[in-house]
Amino acid sequence: MRIVSWNVNGIRAAYRKGFAQWFGAEDADIVCLQETKAQEDQLDEAVLHAEGYRSYWSAAEKKGYSGVGVYTRQEPLTVDTSFHKRFDAEGRVLRLQYPGFVLYNIYFPNGKRSADRLKYKMAFYRAIFKAWQAEDGPVVICGDVNTAHKEIDLARPKDNAKISGFLPEERRWIDKIVKNGYIDVFRKFSSEPDQYTYWDMMTRARERNVGWRIDYFFVSEALLPQVRNAWIAADVLGSDHCPIGIELDEK
């Protein structure tokens, strides 16, 4: 099973930039999108009904903000868009249950705007961790986590040590989930530096590869033997993020 995740920075904008061509060539079994910035009634038929896939969406109440979506070839057993009343209004989580695992597609909050938003982000982190811990079976977690875990995961760690996205408390949360058996899949396949998933567009940082690895796949430890590959598709354009993916053997 090939699962791909991408913060598209607007699904309608992504389609104008060649998303459909990328999607067809990718030939993934599941495609998880973050920051879709659209409600379902704003999406045309081509977006909603990609041939061979079912699609599911969770949108923010505020138009043009946040949102997640999933295209899947296999019909899930269940689909949930609600996980916590405090956070549901921002449309950040899709939970899909499959026979062998539960998939969480998540667009985590950004804490840079204000101290209040950082508090909101940390509260979201705590709440979503509790949701994973409450699952009966293994989970696959993907999305834009909005935090780089270690110094290797961003180009300028010292310059960003006091910036949300690389704060000690944010990084400790990733430490916590890893210690609790959620595996950072990419780092099981690559220990190389300069592997990023996000670049600031205003400073044209992508041209210089001054980036951040803030998009992740985590899997429960029990699933790790089934993971065959993990990658970052840094050459795919169309957003300030690039796609990431894993290949998972099905039992």
Side-chain angles (χ1 to χ4, degrees):
M1 176 179 283
R2 185 177 178 90
I3 310 175
V4 174
S5 174
W6 192 7
N7 178 323
V8 290
N9 194 16
I11 185 62
R12 290 169 292 178
Y15 264 84
R16 293 192 295 270
K17 297 174 183 177
F19 176 88
Q21 291 77 15
W22 168 83
F23 184 88
E26 187 65 26
D27 195 31
D29 297 290
I30 303 173
V31 176
C32 298
L33 308 177
Q34 303 91 42
E35 203 172 359
T36 51
K37 296 183 178 179
Q39 298 171 334
E40 281 193 62
D41 61 5
Q42 296 177 302
L43 302 177
D44 61 29
E45 288 296 305
V47 179
L48 290 171
H49 302 295
E51 186 176 355
Y53 293 85
R54 298 172 183 270
S55 71
Y56 302 93
W57 308 86
S58 181
E61 292 177 1
K62 178 182 176 181
K63 288 190 174 182
Y65 177 73
S66 190
V68 288
V70 172
Y71 293 101
T72 176
R73 283 181 167 144
Q74 180 179 346
E75 183 178 1
L77 301 173
T78 61
V79 178
D80 296 303
T81 60
S82 175
F83 99 98
H84 193 293
K85 62 183 180 181
R86 180 177 179 185
F87 307 109
D88 288 347
E90 293 195 1
R92 293 187 174 275
V93 178
L94 271 170
R95 176 190 179 276
L96 293 83
Q97 184 177 3
Y98 291 94
F101 60 89
V102 170
L103 172 67
Y104 279 86
N105 175 29
I106 308 171
Y107 178 37
F108 292 78
N110 190 313
K112 289 183 179 178
R113 191 171 72 202
S114 67
D116 284 344
R117 285 305 288 183
L118 178 58
K119 289 178 182 177
Y120 182 91
K121 176 182 182 179
M122 298 308 299
F124 184 98
Y125 275 180
R126 292 190 293 270
I128 200 68
F129 177 72
K130 288 181 180 178
W132 302 339
Q133 291 289 85
E135 295 290 351
D136 291 332
V139 297
V140 174
I141 302 151
C142 69
D144 176 1
V145 177
N146 257 316
T147 294
H149 185 197
K150 298 182 178 180
E151 290 193 356
I152 193 176
D153 295 316
L154 71 166
R156 294 176 176 170
K158 289 183 174 59
D159 292 346
N160 290 284
K162 297 182 180 180
I163 303 294
S164 179
F166 199 58
L167 293 174
E169 59 264 42
E170 296 167 319
R171 299 170 63 195
R172 281 196 297 268
W173 179 80
I174 301 182
D175 288 338
K176 178 181 178 179
I177 67 172
V178 170
K179 288 177 182 176
N180 278 271
Y182 301 98
I183 309 300
D184 177 357
V185 182
F186 180 75
R187 284 300 178 207
K188 286 294 179 180
F189 288 85
S190 174
S191 59
E192 295 297 315
D194 305 321
Q195 303 295 307
Y196 308 128
T197 65
Y198 164 80
W199 304 262
D200 181 69
M201 296 178 72
M202 297 293 291
T203 59
R204 301 175 72 174
R206 196 164 189 166
E207 296 176 13
R208 295 171 285 120
N209 199 29
V210 179
W212 300 61
R213 189 175 75 97
I214 58 175
D215 302 85
Y216 293 82
F217 271 95
F218 296 99
V219 302
S220 297
E221 197 166 9
L223 280 177
L224 188 59
Q226 295 171 237
V227 179
R228 290 288 168 258
N229 193 16
W231 66 90
I232 293 172
D235 59 331
V236 176
L237 306 178
S239 171
D240 49 357
H241 295 248
C242 72
I244 61 174
I246 64 171
E247 289 182 1
L248 185 69
D249 285 346
E250 297 180 78
K251 285 191 175 180

